[in-house]
């Protein structure tokens, strides 16, 4: 959070990882899903941090059990097709890995995430946070592990 707006961490001290992220990713993988990171990282373009600092923080993400990562490093003025809320990162992942988007889920915490999901035809799962109370999504959960549990329940047909 920065001035009331959620942002990515700019410095190492601000970086914190959900301690259950890896467990949640493993659970999702065990259900047969491919797991992709789809991330906007414009802060290097905006000179909020150096590429070296970004890379240092990204090392921790790279240790997680993602099958692939799709990162947009562009700033707003680049007008690229990949920066969420555009669906480019999701469409790239689907094409590269031959994934059925209609049977996929996008887990995120911002309106850019849920809008990208909708634009790509993916069901959105929003992780509840003070800054996203007005954001519309198909589902809302308390945590990343909560998202994994929800997907598990949906796949078993326990709930619609
Ligand atoms: Zn981009």
């Amino acid at each position: 959070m920065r001035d009331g707006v959620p942002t990515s961490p700019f410095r190492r001290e601000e970086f914190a990882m959900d301690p259950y992220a890896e467990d949640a990713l493993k659970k999702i993988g065990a259900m047969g899903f491919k797991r992709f990171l789809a991330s906007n990282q414009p802060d290097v373009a905006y000179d909020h941090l150096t590429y070296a600092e970004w890379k240092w923080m990204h090392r921790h993400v790279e240790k997680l059990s993602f099958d692939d990562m799709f990162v947009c490093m562009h700033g707003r003025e680049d007008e690229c097709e990949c920066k969420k809320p555009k669906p480019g990162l999701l469409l790239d992942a689907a094409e590269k890995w031959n994934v059925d988007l209609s049977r996929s889920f996008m887990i995120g915490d911002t309106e850019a995430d849920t809008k990208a999901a909708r634009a790509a035809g993916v069901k959105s799962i929003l992780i509840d946070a003070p800054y996203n109370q007005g954001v519309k999504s198909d589902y809302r959960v308390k945590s990343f592990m909560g998202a994994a549990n929800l997907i598990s329940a949906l796949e078993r047909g326990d709930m619609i």
Side-chain angles (χ1 to χ4, degrees):
M1 297 287 284
R2 200 174 303 280
D3 301 326
V5 175
T7 72
S8 298
F10 296 164
R11 288 182 293 279
R12 295 177 188 201
E13 307 85 77
E14 296 178 347
F15 187 80
M17 186 89 83
D18 178 344
Y20 300 106
E22 178 63 12
D23 288 345
L25 284 168
K26 286 217 169 90
K27 183 173 175 115
I28 293 166
M31 290 180 246
F33 286 93
K34 294 280 182 229
R35 300 144 302 177
F36 308 122
L37 179 77
S39 181
N40 288 352
Q41 297 290 340
D43 295 320
V44 176
Y46 297 152
D47 289 327
H48 288 144
L49 77 173
T50 65
Y51 184 76
E53 281 291 304
W54 178 79
K55 197 73 188 160
W56 186 92
M57 292 189 285
H58 198 65
R59 276 186 325 159
H60 295 274
V61 178
E62 285 172 346
K63 286 184 195 149
L64 296 172
S65 292
F66 284 108
D67 293 287
D68 206 346
M69 304 207 180
F70 298 83
V71 179
C72 167
M73 301 288 292
H74 301 113
R76 267 182 294 277
E77 64 280 7
D78 294 322
E79 295 181 5
C80 66
E81 291 303 316
C82 44
K83 186 175 176 60
K84 297 177 291 183
K86 288 187 178 172
L89 297 174
L90 281 61
L91 299 178
D92 286 351
E95 187 175 334
K96 181 175 174 186
W97 288 83
N98 196 24
V99 161
D100 182 351
L101 288 170
S102 71
R103 295 188 54 213
S104 300
F105 298 92
M106 168 75 165
I107 302 168
D109 68 339
T110 68
E111 185 163 46
D113 293 326
T114 61
K115 282 187 169 171
R118 200 169 306 134
V122 175
K123 287 179 280 297
S124 58
I125 302 175
L126 194 69
I127 298 178
D128 195 46
Y131 51 79
N132 66 25
Q133 294 305 305
V135 175
K136 287 197 191 76
S137 60
D138 293 312
Y139 303 98
R140 181 180 283 266
V141 295
K142 293 287 179 200
S143 66
F144 192 16
M145 186 54 87
N149 290 334
L150 170 68
I151 293 170
S152 177
L154 290 168
E155 289 294 297
R156 285 198 311 266
D158 287 357
M159 49 192 292
I160 304 298

